[in-house]
Amino acid sequence: MNRWNNLIDLKSDSAPMEVINQRILSDATIEGTNLIVLVMAIMIACIGLNLNSVAVIIGAMLISPLMGGIVATGYGMATYDVPFIRKSLIKLSFQVGLAVLTASIYFLLSPLTSPTDEMLARTTPTIWDVLVALCGGIAGAVGNTRKEKSNVIPGVAIATALMPPLCTAGYGLASGNHTFFLGALYLFFINAFFIALSSFLVFKVLKVPPHGNIAEAHFRKQRLVLVTLGLLITIPSIYLAHQTVKDALQEVQVKSFIQTDMQFEKTSVVSYALKDDTLTVDLVGAVLTEEQIEQLKTAMSHYHRLQGITLSIIQGNRNLNTEEVQQLINARIEKQGKADKEASYKMLTSKYYPAYERAAADQQVIQTLNSQAPLLFPEIQSVRGGTLTALNHSKDTKNGDFSYDRFIAEVTVTTPLSADDALRLHDWIKGQVKMPVVMNVQTSDTPSEYYGNGIQW
């Protein structure tokens, strides 16, 4: 038993109580150096959030002095020093107010007004943030009470991220976005409370002496207050965690449904969005029939997480040009913190849709040729072909652009055509495709890989 006690012993290398008390008082001050560092941390965090720069945000976390006031509050609770707790909370409130106000002014003046992924990440706290704050608070309190300070404190500052949520709340205040403001403040409050609580627990394990004579009733009242606050703060985070897991699992099944059940030969999915229990899917290409749409709805109902979700199909006309397709994408794809994926969709659609449109037109032409050519020329067995692609080099473009300037037709015949029939067939195909034609005629019994042998010259 003694061996196990030694493994988790916090007292053997702890600093004297006088040293711990001095450290707490020093870290909790809001004057002089700490105030200057606080303002600099606020500005760095705002810039990092504004530019979506993780490295800059981490820098703000490392230099932020907010941890001092929170740990001091936990220390005050452990020593049952009500005046000290009151002073610590007043100092912490001043730091929080200064951070939110400064951030609001920054974002009001900043020309970059769009929310970034780093901001979005700090608006929906979950139970995992509670666990991080608890673990970080314990590690920070342990590190702060050692004889020699270690690198624990910087790690805790990064893990618990106190400054970025306050600056995100400032952005919400400046932009009038209540979701950002309340969500970010809730994240900060989770971090602050559970860091203070875990610090309180560490200080109690170290048996810091109480300041003055404290009645047993006071101990019970404090424990009741801490437990009540802990539950009130944790319950919303559990609900948000449940929603996060639910949304993640639902997104996985939506992707599976799109990739498995919505693969069509002439129709492609441009974008999709799940919102308000409705899965909206944008399609380009051949229009789906009512029967196909009903089959999709039936297939979607087989996915457990998609039961009760309404499927809405937005179909574009197969004759849409590139500009109209781009407008469709811009109108339907909402910004959801996936800027790179959206840009990729738009770029790929603009690049490849003309080729897709040309291929769809070629398929229609080939169907027409195979149905009508044998009626005009009984010797014809089948027709294959497609549009030839040419690369036009230009001074304005580095790689050139593509054009479609002729059609190649491979005709298989049972017996060779006469030269006159071959000429008439060539002219007829040219009229169908409305572009110059390169024609190759092969006999079905002895086809040639290198030249046509189906014309009698």
Side-chain angles (χ1 to χ4, degrees), residues 102-258:
T102 304
S104 300
I105 295 173
Y106 170 86
F107 286 111
L108 282 172
L109 299 176
S110 174
L112 303 176
T113 57
S114 299
T116 62
D117 292 344
E118 288 298 321
M119 293 181 189
L120 290 167
R122 289 166 174 84
T123 58
T124 52
T126 65
I127 187 62
W128 290 286
D129 293 292
V130 172
L131 297 176
V132 169
L134 270 173
C135 296
I138 292 173
V142 170
N144 208 29
T145 55
R146 300 306 92 190
K147 291 178 181 178
E148 294 184 6
K149 282 193 174 183
S150 63
N151 61 353
V152 172
I153 302 301
V156 173
I158 295 174
T160 52
L162 294 167
M163 184 58 73
L166 291 180
C167 294
T168 302
Y171 171 82
L173 188 62
S175 61
N177 190 323
H178 298 103
T179 301
F180 273 63
F181 180 73
L182 296 176
L185 275 186
Y186 178 46
L187 175 58
F188 173 80
F189 193 58
I190 283 177
N191 289 337
F193 177 80
F194 284 100
I195 289 173
L197 179 61
S198 53
S199 299
F200 162 78
L201 296 175
V202 171
F203 289 130
K204 292 302 290 181
V205 171
L206 292 175
K207 295 183 178 179
V208 294
H211 294 175
N213 296 322
I214 308 299
E216 179 64 27
H218 185 81
F219 296 160
R220 291 195 297 268
K221 181 179 179 181
Q222 186 186 69
R223 286 195 293 267
L224 178 62
V225 170
L226 289 176
V227 170
T228 304
L229 283 176
L231 289 174
L232 290 176
I233 294 171
T234 304
I235 289 173
S237 69
I238 294 175
Y239 171 75
L240 291 173
H242 169 72
Q243 287 297 113
T244 300
V245 173
K246 177 185 175 183
D247 293 344
L249 293 176
Q250 207 169 48
E251 178 67 17
V252 169
Q253 294 203 350
V254 167
K255 289 182 179 179
S256 178
F257 170 67
I258 296 293

